[in-house]
Amino acid sequence: MSEQFESRLRDHGYRLTGQRREVWEAVERLRHATPDQIAAELADVDTSTVYRALDVLVEVGLITHTHIGHGPPVYHAVDPTPHLHLVCQRCGAQDKARTSPWRPGCWRPCRPSTVSPPTWTTWRCPGGARSAALNTMRPDGNIMGPVGVVQGMTHFGDPFTEQKLLVAGEGWVGLDRAVLTLTGGDRVTWLDSLTSHRIEAGTSTQALILDPHGHIEHDLHVVDDGTTTWLIVAADTSEALRDHLDRMRFLADVVVSDVSDTFDVVWIPRREPFGEHPTWLVPLEYAGLGWTPAGSDRGGSASKYVPSRPDRLIGAEVVMARGERPQGPECGTWALEALRIAAGVPRVGADTDHKSLPHELGLIGPAVHLAKGCYRGQETVARLHNMGRPPRRLVLLHFDGALPDAGADLMADDRVVGRVGSVAQHYELGPIGLGVVKRSVDVSTTLRAEGIAASQEPVVAATL
């Protein structure tokens, strides 16, 4: 390998510096790493030198890089054969697999591609975490196939066209969701006692599980078909949620089961039941069709938080047997994310933190009933609604020309006033995102995230 390093640099007219060798050896050692991760590995090489060395090593063909989602480039050694780039969606571990044959023993395919030879698949890492093949790379570093995520692809070559298909009510999207079921005679009343919204047999509901201080812990998309209650939840929180539900059963006639290995969840861009399949309908507010019955209290009704949303998100989540899919073109998750963000609909986990309250995110009404009986966190919900104002508010961010990383600080002058959540490129609006900012920040203030200017469009009202 040392001879290859030396010959490649000489052939391209570059000097054999110790710093270039150190960067190359760090890439070999780390296998897949961002420039900052490489710089952290090399205490005696400054970051700017790392970036310059990476550019040279790419030019001479020793290493290559790819982009995962909206994150920084990930560098790895040039591989003489095409491979799948795998990223675990729970633990973040990265690995690669040959496109053919599949490598046994380390990764196993969950839903193989219908393309031959395969360019992507979904996987489980050795610890059982859901994982994704993100890129199929050629030896020159170019992407051979589409970019994918677990249970669905991020895009199929043209995210903007896919957005337009979904807006027109066509196509479908595979989602990274887990599915839990509740059975037993007490399932409906028992779940109703634990969650923030009223749960009734034969209905579709969004409900939250809060901590004792009213902060959001879990977001449940609930469908009851009369005999079974289906819970569509984020894949990375399903184990913790199931443990919590099991601890709360006591003597109730309820059985909690994780059926994620048997069922997938897909999005359809129509708010209607999908045959006999359990179907969760987006709340009326998100679809611009009215208001979810949510009662009122001394502080008024739920409508005061979000008088109107920036756009509409029309659709449903459908539970289907593993491998079963709707008819029509499959669209990527990037397209759906862009439409969700444009409509000002927060996603718990992406747009929340450990301090998030339902009031800050416009979830009073769609996911929280104001006249419901006691549940954990209900006192905080009622007190803040009746007597106070939430300390933060959700905004739609319009970025100037580029997207920052999710999680970046939002700055007003030299002050941190909030945090970026989800980000996406929208086919009409350009680079957009959701953020949560301090209530005291004026809506006309131009914010900055990683140096990128962003204007605010209120989702949750600035004055309550």
Side-chain angles (χ1 to χ4, degrees):
M1 296 295 287
S2 179
E3 292 180 0
Q4 181 188 30
F5 171 78
E6 295 174 4
S7 64
R8 288 290 182 91
L9 286 174
R10 286 198 182 101
D11 290 347
H12 287 79
Y14 286 105
R15 292 186 300 115
L16 306 178
T17 68
Q19 292 169 324
R20 287 170 181 162
R21 183 182 293 275
E22 286 187 67
V23 171
W24 177 65
E25 290 175 347
V27 173
E28 289 279 332
R29 186 167 58 251
L30 295 172
R31 300 178 65 193
H32 296 89
T34 66
D36 287 344
Q37 290 170 333
I38 296 167
E41 189 82 359
L42 305 173
D44 58 338
V45 182
D46 63 68
T47 303
S48 61
T49 301
V50 169
Y51 274 91
R52 289 194 297 271
L54 288 171
D55 288 341
V56 170
L57 295 175
V58 169
E59 181 182 339
V60 303
L62 285 169
I63 65 174
T64 186
H65 71 279
T66 185
H67 289 270
I68 299 174
H70 298 295
V74 174
Y75 289 83
H76 57 90
V78 168
D79 196 317
T81 59
H83 66 273
L84 295 169
H85 193 173
L86 305 167
V87 178
C88 178
Q89 298 296 294
R90 285 187 177 171
C91 68
Q94 298 187 24
D95 205 342
K96 62 184 180 182
R98 307 297 179 193
T99 56
S100 180
W102 300 115
R103 210 163 37 134
C106 182
W107 304 84
R108 68 176 178 84
C110 296
R111 180 163 65 89
S113 168
T114 57
V115 178
S116 182
T119 56
W120 67 274
T121 187
T122 57
W123 301 76
R124 290 181 184 275
C125 72
R130 294 164 178 250
S131 303
L134 290 181
N135 294 328
T136 302
M137 303 296 297
R138 289 207 305 255
D140 61 6
N142 292 321
I143 296 175
M144 291 175 60
V147 180
V149 296
V150 64
Q151 306 291 24
M153 307 289 279
T154 54
H155 70 85
F156 290 85
D158 190 346
F160 289 168
T161 296
E162 293 161 27
Q163 290 178 39
K164 295 174 185 177
L165 276 172
L166 295 177
V167 169
E170 303 174 22
W172 58 276
V173 180
L175 301 178
D176 178 18
R177 299 288 188 272
V179 182
L180 307 183
T181 59
L182 308 179
T183 54
D186 296 336
R187 70 185 191 286
V188 173
T189 54
W190 172 80
L191 185 63
D192 182 84
S193 70
L194 300 177
T195 58
S196 60
H197 220 294
R198 286 185 171 161
I199 309 297
E200 298 176 348
T203 62
S204 165
T205 312
Q206 182 178 8
L208 307 175
I209 291 179
L210 309 178
D211 74 8
H213 303 290
H215 302 130
I216 299 170
E217 288 191 341
H218 296 285
D219 179 22
L220 282 59
H221 295 179
V222 183
V223 185
D224 188 89
D225 62 13
T227 59
T228 301
T229 302
W230 302 78
L231 307 181
I232 302 171
V233 300
D236 60 353
T237 64
S238 61
E239 292 180 12
L241 174 60
R242 182 180 179 182
D243 289 345
H244 172 73
L245 294 176
D246 272 333
R247 288 197 304 269
M248 300 303 294
R249 285 189 302 115
F250 302 111
L251 299 178
D253 177 20
V254 179
V255 176
V256 182
S257 304
D258 188 337
V259 295
S260 303
D261 286 336
T262 308
F263 293 94
D264 290 332
V265 181
V266 302
W267 171 274
I268 60 171
R270 301 172 299 281
R271 191 182 183 277
E272 60 189 27
F274 191 83
E276 299 299 318
H277 296 278
T279 304
W280 178 79
L281 307 178
V282 301
L284 294 169
E285 292 91 335
Y286 303 164
L289 298 174
W291 303 95
T292 301
S296 63
D297 208 341
R298 296 192 308 276
S301 70
S303 62
K304 72 177 186 179
Y305 293 98
V306 185
S308 63
R309 292 189 182 268
D311 203 346
R312 302 192 301 166
L313 181 68
I314 300 175
E317 294 177 357
V318 183
V319 178
M320 309 189 83
R322 174 61 53 88
E324 184 181 359
R325 293 293 180 267
Q327 293 183 344
E330 183 175 3
C331 300
T333 55
W334 282 359
L336 178 57
E337 279 290 278
L339 300 182
R340 176 187 66 80
I341 292 168
V345 176
R347 178 160 59 88
V348 172
D351 301 305
T352 60
D353 57 25
H354 67 286
K355 300 184 296 181
S356 292
L357 298 164
H359 317 64
E360 300 173 332
L361 300 168
L363 294 176
I364 302 294
V368 178
H369 198 290
L370 291 170
K372 185 176 180 287
C374 186
Y375 56 90
R376 192 173 70 177
Q378 186 265 340
E379 290 185 0
T380 299
V381 169
R383 182 169 60 251
L384 189 56
H385 178 72
N386 292 328
M387 303 174 60
R389 296 186 300 172
R392 303 181 296 180
R393 58 184 175 84
L394 183 70
V395 296
L396 174 62
L397 299 166
H398 296 266
F399 296 107
D400 184 12
L403 287 173
D405 288 339
D409 288 337
L410 284 168
M411 310 292 295
D413 297 324
D414 59 348
R415 296 180 299 119
V416 176
V417 296
R419 169 185 170 274
V420 177
S422 307
V423 295
Q425 292 281 356
H426 190 273
Y427 75 104
E428 288 184 332
L429 302 177
I432 58 173
L434 291 178
V436 175
V437 300
K438 293 180 179 179
R439 175 161 296 282
S440 59
V441 177
D442 190 273
V443 295
S444 63
T445 301
T446 298
L447 306 178
R448 298 183 98 54
E450 298 179 341
I452 302 169
S455 61
Q456 307 172 57
E457 183 175 351
V459 178
V460 172
T463 57
L464 291 173

